[in-house]
Amino acid sequence: MRDVLRSLTELLDGDDARPVALCRVVGASGSAPRELGAAMIVTEDDTVIGSVSGGCVESALVHTARDVLTGGVAIVEQYGVDDPDSPAPGLTCGGQIEVLVERVAPSSGRRGQLDRLAAAIDAGEPVSWATTLTNETDWYFATAASQQPWRRLDRDVADLLATGRSGLIGIDDCDAPSDERPRTFVQTFGPPARLILVGANDFVRALSSIGAGLGMRVTVVDARPVFATPERFPDADEVVVSWPDRYLAEQIRDGRAGPSTAVCVMTHDPKFDVPTLQVALGCRQLGFVGALGSRRTVADRDQRLREAGVDDIQLDRLRSPLGLDLGGHTPGEVAVSIAAQLIAERHCATGAPLHAGDGPIHRR
């Protein structure tokens, strides 16, 4: 969408501006050729700007765009694997995509909304753009500083914004009221939430897989090159061979670690743990700081941290022992308990079983 945003606003400018059809990838699976949010514009004279599939289905979408421009009703098209015996367009890559085609008119007020979106992107401010997949689409924009109730979906949008993810939310139920959590595409512009894992062991490998599945950008850092290898952590976005405290200090200094960053220290070695936690707890902007360990390890490490100059206010931010009490012992079970704590703390939730409570599951 970034690639065509400027062209879209320019087409909606001026006295001779005309409606255009905006096509966006709202769902993708398998070997999809483009990412979620990839966009294409079709004008009334069949001018095409951008791409949603690299050429596989664009011609068919031009025909859909004509219908949308004429009738004004949004359409969601689905394209799957190309079948040589079928006249229907398909993807040669073997993936599947879902494309929303909607009419955007200069007089609809959406020109101003797009200006605000462009301003947020240019300023580096994370922003989420939600669009209902309904006959008449509804737009909603959210930033960390400005959010308001919207179709009982604003919390879902805020969750995607907080973690830097894009995706589908809501329900697809023809019998449900039109304003009752409609199926909606959310595109988030901004860096994904980060998970920095200190240590190169089995617990880190398990947590790196879960973190990646939650849409986080996962970094594994360890000073020992024999253990810190991409082959041992295939789901991590990067594996860094460095002293963890030095690496973390560099990330903080360069503005690459902040409120959406979680740091989990899982080395069980004071020469790594203490200096890394000293750096992490000294940065008030970090969203989450935790450390694995038994009660005895935690007590010993807390004393070492105090001796290193960490005060009680800083130490109160440390989540250690790390994870929720699920009773697990294996690396996979421990990783689930840590991931559950990360989710619970992001939502200010208790982590208690749902059947033990009452009221709505999705709290406002």
Side-chain angles (χ1 to χ4, degrees):
M1 185 63 208
R2 294 174 190 262
D3 301 337
V4 304
L5 182 56
R6 183 177 297 276
S7 297
L8 178 58
T9 55
E10 289 174 351
L11 287 167
L12 298 174
D13 261 341
D15 296 334
D16 59 345
R18 306 287 293 173
V20 300
L22 176 61
C23 314
R24 284 184 286 160
V25 177
V26 299
S29 62
S31 248
R34 296 293 306 277
E35 71 283 355
L36 288 177
M40 182 177 88
I41 301 168
V42 181
T43 67
E44 289 184 333
D45 63 359
D46 288 347
T47 298
V48 175
I49 301 170
S51 170
V52 297
S53 74
C56 302
V57 301
E58 273 76 359
S59 295
L61 276 175
V62 169
H63 292 284
T64 302
R66 291 173 186 161
D67 294 338
V68 170
L69 284 170
T70 301
V73 176
I75 296 175
V76 177
E77 296 278 24
Q78 296 182 349
Y79 301 98
V81 180
D82 185 43
D83 182 356
D85 297 325
S86 171
L91 303 175
T92 58
C93 60
Q96 294 181 325
I97 62 172
E98 196 171 1
V99 182
L100 168 67
V101 186
E102 60 181 321
R103 186 177 186 266
V104 183
S107 60
S108 64
R110 292 188 165 180
R111 176 68 176 81
Q113 291 176 301
L114 293 169
D115 280 339
R116 291 193 292 274
L117 173 64
I121 293 173
D122 290 343
E125 180 183 15
V127 58
S128 285
W129 174 14
T131 306
T132 60
L133 304 187
T134 48
N135 290 341
E136 294 184 6
T137 59
D138 186 16
W139 290 1
Y140 168 78
F141 295 88
T143 64
S146 62
Q147 297 175 17
Q148 58 276 342
W150 181 73
R151 292 178 172 270
R152 296 183 59 206
L153 290 169
D154 43 284
R155 288 293 298 272
D156 303 72
V157 176
D159 184 39
L160 292 176
L161 175 64
T163 55
R165 294 176 293 155
S166 299
L168 291 167
I169 59 175
I171 59 175
D172 189 9
D173 185 352
C174 295
D175 296 326
S178 60
D179 61 346
E180 190 77 8
R181 294 179 55 83
R183 191 164 181 256
T184 297
F185 172 63
V186 181
Q187 183 172 8
T188 297
F189 301 85
R194 291 195 66 187
L195 178 59
I196 298 177
L197 302 177
V198 177
N201 53 45
D202 290 343
F203 294 95
V204 169
R205 181 164 57 247
L207 186 54
S208 68
S209 299
I210 296 178
L214 293 174
M216 306 178 82
R217 178 172 179 80
V218 180
T219 299
V220 175
V221 56
D222 195 298
R224 302 166 297 177
V226 67
F227 296 111
T229 66
E231 292 76 20
R232 295 189 69 230
F233 303 93
D235 295 320
D237 294 282
E238 56 184 350
V239 179
V240 178
V241 179
S242 175
W243 283 87
D245 59 311
R246 298 174 190 170
Y247 172 79
L248 183 58
E250 291 170 358
Q251 296 297 296
I252 293 171
R253 183 196 64 209
D254 296 341
R256 295 178 182 149
S260 63
T261 301
V263 177
C264 295
V265 177
M266 305 172 71
T267 55
H268 297 296
D269 190 334
K271 71 174 177 289
F272 293 125
D273 293 4
V274 172
T276 303
L277 289 171
Q278 189 177 6
V279 171
L281 295 173
C283 177
R284 296 176 61 186
Q285 287 75 33
L286 291 181
F288 181 96
V289 181
L292 203 62
S294 65
R295 301 289 182 186
R296 171 186 278 182
T297 297
V298 169
D300 176 73
R301 186 168 51 216
D302 285 355
Q303 181 60 36
R304 291 174 184 267
L305 286 168
R306 288 190 176 93
E307 292 171 355
V310 175
D311 60 38
D312 289 340
I313 294 176
Q314 292 173 322
L315 205 54
D316 282 343
R317 296 180 50 233
L318 177 60
R319 300 296 182 257
S320 186
L322 182 58
L324 299 184
D325 181 13
L326 304 184
H329 298 280
T330 68
E333 291 171 335
V334 171
V336 168
S337 77
I338 296 171
Q341 184 176 17
L342 292 173
I343 296 169
E345 295 226 359
R346 188 172 75 239
H347 294 288
C348 299
T350 64
L354 291 174
H355 77 268
D358 53 18
I361 292 176
H362 300 287
R363 296 168 301 162
R364 295 188 63 79

